[in-house]
Amino acid sequence: MGVSGINGQSFATEPETALGQDFTSLVIQSMGPNTDPRLRHVISSFIQHIHDFARDVRLTTDEWMLGVQMINRAGQMSSDKRNEGQLMCDVIGLESLVDAITYEEAVKAHRPLTASAILGPFWRSDTPTRPNGSTITFDTATDAVVAYMYGEVTSADTGLPLANAVVDVWQCSTNGLYEQQDPAQREHNLRGKFVTDSNGKYSFYCIRPTPYPVPDDGPAGHLLSLMDRHAYRPAHIHLIVEAAKHKPVTTQIFDAESKYLDDDSVFAVKEALKVNFVPRQGDPEAKFELQYNVSLAVDPKA
Ligand code: BEZ
Ligand code: FE
């Protein structure tokens, strides 16, 4: 690099050649011998890709700082009720990609498995257990349509029903808000855990889900608008199903008649997860019903 002297100071006369692969190798090799092997593999690849990305797009300092500020803002907005970092990953498809990789590994060993889908930021660890046949919809919104959901949990390897499996479900109200986002809803509205009976069966009343936008008042929403995209998700119900000696599945089921199935803002729709609500006969409590059976993989480590 050429250097010229002015008043005793040195200035570069031409820009430094953008740092190349030797620099990237130096950063990767700076890890010490005590780094966990899997962590070393993941971090090495991450550094390699993020350096290549910066070189590829010729990332400027100002652009990089905008990204840093977005990540910082996501952290500042996050709490036990909101996970903005996860939402940012969701709108760029990362959580769905990771889910697909994880599912691909699982089906190598077990079939037929219920397809998984992303957790999303609105699950709660303290959801109450409710009796089968009861409801998760309280103070039901006037525009909501009640549905009866029921099904069986079985073991993927034997096909046998699993008693005492836990079916944890959550959904948002017709105003597009989960109860923790909405002071007008009572706590734990539209969520519940159901334990399967001796025949592996569960059942409950819920509402037929409606499409809603993911929260767009933070950096994830900003990113969506920068990319000229909408925030909507198709109508869905979330589930986590777990049973002793089996691997739990986190998933979502999508109303096959919903809008936004082809342009979910978080890319979670899978063909296998589309379901059909059908009219329910002889039950004044519910207009529709949905049967959804779940098949869990045996956990070889259990
Ligand atoms: C949800 O379905 O609850 C959700 C998933 C990803 C991002 C935001 C919300
Ligand atoms: Fe959701």
Side-chain angles (χ1 to χ4, degrees):
M1 178 184 17
V3 171
S4 64
I6 304 173
N7 297 334
Q9 278 183 264
S10 295
F11 297 91
T13 53
E14 58 196 55
E16 185 104 42
T17 312
L19 295 164
Q21 291 299 336
D22 284 355
F23 174 67
T24 300
S25 297
L26 181 77
V27 176
I28 290 171
Q29 280 156 21
S30 68
M31 274 185 277
N34 296 324
T35 310
D36 170 83
R38 170 68 182 162
L39 194 70
R40 178 186 298 276
H41 178 63
V42 171
I43 295 182
S44 300
S45 177
F46 178 73
I47 293 168
Q48 182 69 55
H49 281 87
I50 206 153
H51 282 209
D52 286 344
F53 151 75
R55 282 186 280 259
D56 182 33
V57 301
R58 307 288 297 173
L59 195 67
T60 67
T61 303
D62 288 345
E63 290 166 340
W64 162 76
M65 188 44 84
L66 282 175
V68 170
Q69 282 162 351
M70 259 186 162
I71 291 170
N72 290 349
R73 180 85 192 105
Q76 286 153 0
M77 284 189 89
S78 294
S79 65
D80 58 349
K81 293 196 166 171
R82 175 161 192 169
N83 192 333
E84 188 71 14
Q86 186 172 2
L87 190 53
M88 283 184 72
C89 291
D90 290 340
V91 300
I92 58 166
L94 185 58
E95 191 179 355
S96 283
L97 175 60
V98 171
D99 166 66
I101 294 165
T102 308
Y103 185 68
E104 219 167 72
E105 289 301 314
V107 290
K108 279 183 192 162
H110 307 271
R111 281 170 184 276
L113 273 194
T114 291
S116 58
I118 65 174
L119 176 66
F122 297 117
W123 176 73
R124 282 182 65 162
S125 59
D126 56 352
T127 294
T129 300
R130 308 185 192 279
N132 278 309
S134 68
T135 191
I136 62 168
T137 172
F138 304 94
D139 311 324
T140 307
T142 49
D143 59 346
V145 177
V146 175
Y148 180 75
M149 180 167 161
Y150 66 101
E152 184 185 27
V153 181
T154 54
S155 175
D157 296 27
T158 62
L160 293 173
L162 293 169
N164 295 317
V166 178
V167 180
D168 181 350
V169 297
W170 66 105
Q171 63 178 163
C172 67
S173 187
T174 48
N175 63 1
L177 297 174
Y178 286 84
E179 48 86 21
Q180 71 265 56
Q181 299 174 285
D182 183 5
Q185 290 180 53
R186 77 162 70 166
E187 185 157 34
H188 297 300
N189 186 34
L190 295 171
R191 57 179 83 231
K193 285 183 181 173
F194 297 87
V195 180
T196 57
D197 64 17
S198 55
N199 297 314
K201 306 271 202 252
Y202 74 89
S203 59
F204 57 88
Y205 290 91
C206 57
I207 59 172
R208 186 165 177 176
T210 44
Y212 68 89
V214 300
D216 62 358
D217 55 341
H222 184 48
L223 199 54
L224 282 173
S225 75
L226 288 173
M227 294 189 290
D228 190 19
R229 281 173 40 196
H230 68 74
Y232 276 83
R233 298 217 56 214
H236 62 274
I237 299 174
H238 295 262
L239 299 119
I240 297 177
V241 183
E242 45 195 3
K245 301 193 173 136
H246 288 73
K247 290 191 169 177
V249 67
T250 298
T251 195
Q252 302 179 25
I253 47 179
F254 297 91
D255 186 336
E257 292 177 15
S258 177
K259 268 184 91 175
Y260 306 112
L261 288 167
D262 295 328
D263 56 348
D264 180 4
S265 59
V266 300
F267 307 98
V269 180
K270 294 177 178 175
E271 214 40 53
L273 294 174
K274 291 183 188 169
V275 294
N276 292 297
F277 285 82
V278 295
R280 180 161 171 85
Q281 314 294 342
D283 182 352
E285 303 294 326
K287 259 190 149 161
F288 290 95
E289 65 181 35
L290 171 66
Q291 182 176 22
Y292 192 68
N293 297 333
V294 175
S295 167
L296 296 181
V298 170
D299 185 351
K301 291 190 209 124

CSV table of all heavy atoms in Angstrom, one decimal, residues 122 178 212 233 236 238 252, ligand 2:
chain,number,residue,atom,x,y,z
A,122,PHE,N,-45.2,-17.2,20.5
A,122,PHE,CA,-46.3,-17.0,21.5
A,122,PHE,C,-46.7,-18.2,22.3
A,122,PHE,O,-47.7,-18.2,23.0
A,122,PHE,CB,-47.6,-16.6,20.7
A,122,PHE,CG,-47.4,-15.2,20.0
A,122,PHE,CD1,-47.4,-15.1,18.7
A,122,PHE,CD2,-47.1,-14.1,20.8
A,122,PHE,CE1,-47.2,-13.9,18.1
A,122,PHE,CE2,-46.9,-12.9,20.2
A,122,PHE,CZ,-46.9,-12.8,18.8
A,178,TYR,N,-52.8,-12.9,20.3
A,178,TYR,CA,-52.7,-14.0,21.3
A,178,TYR,C,-53.0,-13.3,22.7
A,178,TYR,O,-52.8,-12.1,22.8
A,178,TYR,CB,-51.3,-14.6,21.3
A,178,TYR,CG,-51.2,-15.5,20.1
A,178,TYR,CD1,-50.8,-15.0,18.9
A,178,TYR,CD2,-51.4,-16.9,20.2
A,178,TYR,CE1,-50.7,-15.9,17.8
A,178,TYR,CE2,-51.3,-17.7,19.1
A,178,TYR,CZ,-50.9,-17.2,17.9
A,178,TYR,OH,-50.8,-18.0,16.8
A,212,TYR,N,-53.9,-13.7,10.5
A,212,TYR,CA,-53.6,-12.5,11.3
A,212,TYR,C,-52.1,-12.1,10.9
A,212,TYR,O,-51.3,-12.9,10.4
A,212,TYR,CB,-53.6,-12.8,12.8
A,212,TYR,CG,-52.6,-13.8,13.3
A,212,TYR,CD1,-51.4,-13.3,13.7
A,212,TYR,CD2,-52.9,-15.1,13.3
A,212,TYR,CE1,-50.4,-14.2,14.2
A,212,TYR,CE2,-51.9,-16.0,13.7
A,212,TYR,CZ,-50.7,-15.6,14.2
A,212,TYR,OH,-49.7,-16.4,14.6
A,233,ARG,N,-50.2,-14.2,8.3
A,233,ARG,CA,-50.1,-15.6,8.3
A,233,ARG,C,-51.4,-16.3,8.0
A,233,ARG,O,-52.4,-15.7,8.4
A,233,ARG,CB,-49.7,-16.1,9.7
A,233,ARG,CG,-48.3,-15.5,10.2
A,233,ARG,CD,-47.6,-16.5,11.1
A,233,ARG,NE,-47.5,-17.7,10.3
A,233,ARG,CZ,-47.5,-19.0,10.8
A,233,ARG,NH1,-47.7,-19.2,12.1
A,233,ARG,NH2,-47.4,-20.0,10.0
A,236,HIS,N,-54.3,-20.7,11.5
A,236,HIS,CA,-53.6,-21.9,12.0
A,236,HIS,C,-53.8,-22.1,13.5
A,236,HIS,O,-54.2,-21.2,14.2
A,236,HIS,CB,-52.1,-21.9,11.7
A,236,HIS,CG,-51.4,-20.7,12.4
A,236,HIS,ND1,-51.4,-19.5,11.8
A,236,HIS,CD2,-50.9,-20.6,13.6
A,236,HIS,CE1,-50.8,-18.6,12.7
A,236,HIS,NE2,-50.5,-19.3,13.8
A,238,HIS,N,-51.6,-23.9,16.7
A,238,HIS,CA,-50.3,-24.4,17.1
A,238,HIS,C,-50.5,-25.6,18.0
A,238,HIS,O,-51.4,-25.6,18.9
A,238,HIS,CB,-49.5,-23.4,17.9
A,238,HIS,CG,-49.1,-22.2,17.2
A,238,HIS,ND1,-47.9,-22.0,16.6
A,238,HIS,CD2,-49.8,-21.0,16.9
A,238,HIS,CE1,-47.8,-20.8,16.1
A,238,HIS,NE2,-49.0,-20.2,16.2
A,252,GLN,N,-47.9,-26.9,13.5
A,252,GLN,CA,-49.1,-26.0,13.3
A,252,GLN,C,-49.9,-26.7,12.3
A,252,GLN,O,-49.4,-27.3,11.3
A,252,GLN,CB,-48.6,-24.6,12.7
A,252,GLN,CG,-47.6,-23.9,13.6
A,252,GLN,CD,-47.2,-22.6,12.9
A,252,GLN,OE1,-47.9,-22.0,12.2
A,252,GLN,NE2,-46.0,-22.1,13.3
B,2,FE,FE,-49.6,-18.3,15.4
